[in-house]
Amino acid sequence: MTDRTVLIVDDEKPIREMVEFSLERSGFRVVEAGDAAEARVAITDHQPDLILLDWMLPDTSGLDLARALRRENMLGDVPIIMLTARTEEEDKVRGLEAGADDYVTKPFGPRELIARIQAVLRRSGGDEAEENLEIGPLRIEIAAHRVMVNDNPIHLGATEFRLLKFFAGHPDRVYTREQLLDRVWGPNVYVEERTVDVHIRRLRKALDGTGAERFVQTVRGAGYRFSTRE
Amino acid sequence: MTDRTVLIVDDEKPIREMVEFSLERSGFRVVEAGDAAEARVAITDHQPDLILLDWMLPDTSGLDLARALRRENMLGDVPIIMLTARTEEEDKVRGLEAGADDYVTKPFGPRELIARIQAVLRRSGGDEAEENLEIGPLRIEIAAHRVMVNDNPIHLGATEFRLLKFFAGHPDRVYTREQLLDRVWGPNVYVEERTVDVHIRRLRKALDGTGAERFVQTVRGAGYRFSTRE
DNA sequence: CAAATGTGTCATGGATCTGTCACATCCCGC
DNA sequence: GCGGGATGTGACAGATCCATGACACATTTG
């Protein structure tokens, strides 16, 4: 439900924009690709939670791309929804064999699309978010949008909250400033990389004296990491 | 979420059976009606939690039936999902005004239908506490439609009462203005989001000096929250 | 019918947040 | 130690968000 990234692969920009508009209104992050090559880059860069894949692409068919991605194991269990103008049963079968999880037939409306996406995500993924995260003295209450340290609330700006939430959900792993901007600020936001430093600083300051400030770690030359160890 | 009763109103028996089959597999109880007259009987007899209403019925239109049922107050806040073959935006708007909560366009698949049903139930159901709520110095007497603070009644407008009731039933959770409009004002009401601010303000003013005003909390950039802590 | 009340909208001002910069400090290889 | 790149830190201006009072209109009450 919350904060999932959807990759839309379609060569027609108007369709991509319609999809982006609808999905962002529903709280998804949206990444676009116009062809198979762009799609591969986007998958690597943004690690989407779901892929909307047009049947026809300029450089290859969506079917082939889906099959290739599954074969190359680039996706794990990320679901694929095919977008197609065709309605033949035969195509559906072939698409499902290629690794698609569902179909949407053009033309489609935003409600239908969102219903399908949520149905597929509900099936394939545990909704990971939503429950509270507890790390040492920290408790991140997602629903309440609140962070407690030893049962005392601490105040964070919206950006610091998202940053901490992301970190807490992905511990023991270094993220570059670029990756953090992508995952915390969003894929279509362009700010200076050094901005990350400033928010790291603000997060540390907010956690100062709680015993949790040591979890936010700098990895020189690489980025930042959230970890209880070290 | 389990054991909800769904009434399907459609004159085509195959469709009723398809729906019944799908929904029962998902744990719903299903009641059928073939026309508006049967629908009225079924509503009285079974008090469904949700109604699937075909656009075209032999004795009247689904639109008229929905409107009539709402007007006669036979439904309370039981949500209606319209089933329609038409896709014109005009019809959708008219249907929503008539009291439908969502649309499914024929032909639809079982997955889509269930996704919609669950979405609508999630929105409209779930609250409806019947017993009184006590939170700190507050006692919300649902049936009496009255709020007491330390055994002294305080006056609230109808909107503020619903808002407080909703909040008290869903504490420690942030709701966006949009969500509050949906849950407190109702899914088919269109007012400005800022209106929420004003009613929050009025609620706070009514609670001022009681020690309960601190429960109504602003979460900057996210929405509002009701919580006894912080 | 008039007054009182409830509701939605708006404009305003103040508080807070955010991105950026400049400069200080740190760390590493040499 | 030294130099230079990387990171920490404080300050700042613009952007954003929200509280608040006023107002028009509708509804209810007397």
Side-chain angles (χ1 to χ4, degrees):
Chain A
M1 185 76 163
T2 46
D3 218 50
R4 302 306 195 93
T5 301
V6 174
L7 169 64
I8 164 74
V9 187
D10 194 306
D11 56 321
E12 295 174 75
K13 195 156 201 306
I15 290 189
R16 295 206 303 270
E17 287 176 339
M18 188 276 270
V19 169
E20 178 172 7
F21 177 77
S22 310
L23 295 193
E24 286 186 340
R25 275 197 80 212
S26 296
F28 293 96
R29 301 194 309 145
V30 179
V31 183
E32 298 183 29
D35 56 38
E38 284 181 28
R40 287 173 176 278
V41 174
I43 289 168
T44 307
D45 286 357
H46 301 287
Q47 305 189 354
D49 300 292
L50 183 143
I51 298 174
L52 297 172
L53 185 55
D54 188 32
W55 188 272
M56 296 289 297
L57 294 176
D59 45 356
T60 177
S61 86
L63 200 61
D64 289 339
L65 178 58
R67 204 178 284 135
L69 290 172
R70 289 285 186 216
R71 181 159 16 84
E72 296 165 29
N73 232 13
M74 278 187 67
L75 293 181
D77 53 2
V78 173
I80 296 176
I81 295 179
M82 297 289 284
L83 310 178
T84 170
R86 309 195 194 182
T87 55
E88 293 81 6
E89 198 60 27
E90 170 202 359
D91 288 344
K92 298 203 174 187
V93 172
R94 284 173 56 212
L96 291 173
E97 282 172 355
D101 294 87
D102 201 356
Y103 264 80
V104 179
T105 305
K106 295 181 184 179
F108 53 84
R111 283 240 197 83
E112 178 183 2
L113 184 63
I114 288 169
R116 296 290 186 92
I117 288 175
Q118 287 176 339
V120 168
L121 283 179
R122 200 174 313 122
R123 267 188 307 165
S124 82
D127 263 337
E128 62 181 280
E130 200 58 27
E131 52 191 276
N132 297 339
L133 299 165
E134 302 220 25
I135 304 99
L138 272 184
R139 182 171 69 248
I140 304 171
E141 302 180 7
I142 306 288
H145 222 273
R146 178 167 54 187
V147 177
M148 310 283 274
V149 176
N150 301 320
D151 285 334
N152 301 113
I154 63 172
H155 180 77
L156 293 179
T159 306
E160 281 74 58
F161 182 81
R162 288 199 311 276
L163 182 58
L164 177 58
K165 185 171 74 171
F166 174 75
F167 266 147
H170 302 82
D172 293 308
R173 177 175 170 151
V174 175
Y175 289 92
T176 65
R177 291 172 176 75
E178 186 184 358
Q179 287 173 322
L180 288 173
L181 287 175
D182 183 54
R183 305 287 296 240
V184 177
W185 274 254
N188 303 319
V189 177
Y190 301 100
V191 297
E192 294 293 322
E193 290 202 345
R194 293 300 310 275
T195 300
V196 175
D197 298 30
V198 178
H199 285 276
I200 289 280
R201 152 82 175 148
R202 288 171 180 158
L203 177 57
R204 280 173 172 156
K205 186 180 271 188
L207 296 177
D208 193 43
T210 67
E213 69 275 14
R214 66 189 193 88
F215 297 164
V216 181
Q217 300 163 359
T218 303
V219 180
R220 190 181 171 81
Y224 295 96
R225 173 179 59 198
F226 186 87
S227 175
T228 57
R229 293 173 305 185
E230 168 167 3
Chain B
M1 187 54 95
T2 48
D3 221 50
R4 304 302 197 96
T5 300
V6 174
L7 169 64
I8 163 77
V9 186
D10 194 305
D11 57 319
E12 295 174 74
K13 193 152 202 310
I15 289 189
R16 294 207 303 271
E17 288 178 336
M18 188 276 270
V19 169
E20 179 172 6
F21 176 75
S22 309
L23 295 194
E24 287 188 339
R25 276 196 79 209
S26 296
F28 294 96
R29 297 193 304 145
V30 179
V31 181
E32 298 184 30
D35 56 37
E38 284 182 27
R40 288 172 178 279
V41 174
I43 289 168
T44 308
D45 287 357
H46 300 286
Q47 304 194 354
D49 300 292
L50 181 143
I51 297 175
L52 298 172
L53 187 53
D54 188 31
W55 188 272
M56 295 289 295
L57 293 175
D59 47 354
T60 177
S61 86
L63 200 60
D64 289 338
L65 178 58
R67 204 179 284 134
L69 291 172
R70 288 284 186 218
R71 180 158 17 84
E72 296 164 28
N73 233 15
M74 278 186 67
L75 293 182
D77 52 3
V78 173
I80 296 176
I81 295 179
M82 297 289 284
L83 310 177
T84 172
R86 310 195 194 183
T87 56
E88 291 81 8
E89 198 61 27
E90 172 199 0
D91 289 344
K92 298 203 175 188
V93 172
R94 284 171 56 211
L96 290 173
E97 284 171 353
D101 295 271
D102 200 358
Y103 264 81
V104 180
T105 304
K106 294 181 183 180
F108 53 85
R111 260 204 244 121
E112 179 183 2
L113 183 63
I114 288 170
R116 297 288 186 94
I117 288 175
Q118 287 177 338
V120 169
L121 283 178
R122 200 177 315 123
R123 266 190 306 171
S124 81
D127 26 350
E128 314 327 330
E130 196 52 53
E131 44 195 280
N132 297 340
L133 298 163
E134 301 217 28
I135 304 99
L138 274 182
R139 183 170 70 248
I140 304 170
E141 303 180 4
I142 305 289
H145 218 271
R146 181 170 50 186
V147 176
M148 310 284 275
V149 175
N150 300 320
D151 290 330
N152 303 111
I154 62 172
H155 179 76
L156 292 179
T159 307
E160 281 74 58
F161 181 80
R162 287 199 312 277
L163 182 58
L164 177 58
K165 182 173 77 171
F166 175 75
F167 265 148
H170 301 82
D172 291 306
R173 188 177 183 100
V174 171
Y175 290 92
T176 65
R177 291 171 176 76
E178 186 182 0
Q179 288 172 324
L180 288 172
L181 288 175
D182 187 51
R183 305 285 295 245
V184 176
W185 274 253
N188 305 317
V189 177
Y190 301 100
V191 296
E192 293 293 321
E193 290 201 345
R194 294 258 149 260
T195 300
V196 175
D197 299 30
V198 178
H199 285 275
I200 288 281
R201 151 86 174 143
R202 289 169 182 161
L203 177 57
R204 279 174 173 156
K205 187 179 269 186
L207 296 176
D208 193 42
T210 67
E213 69 275 14
R214 67 189 193 88
F215 298 165
V216 181
Q217 300 164 359
T218 303
V219 181
R220 189 173 219 276
Y224 294 97
R225 173 179 60 200
F226 186 89
S227 175
T228 58
R229 292 177 304 181
E230 168 159 345

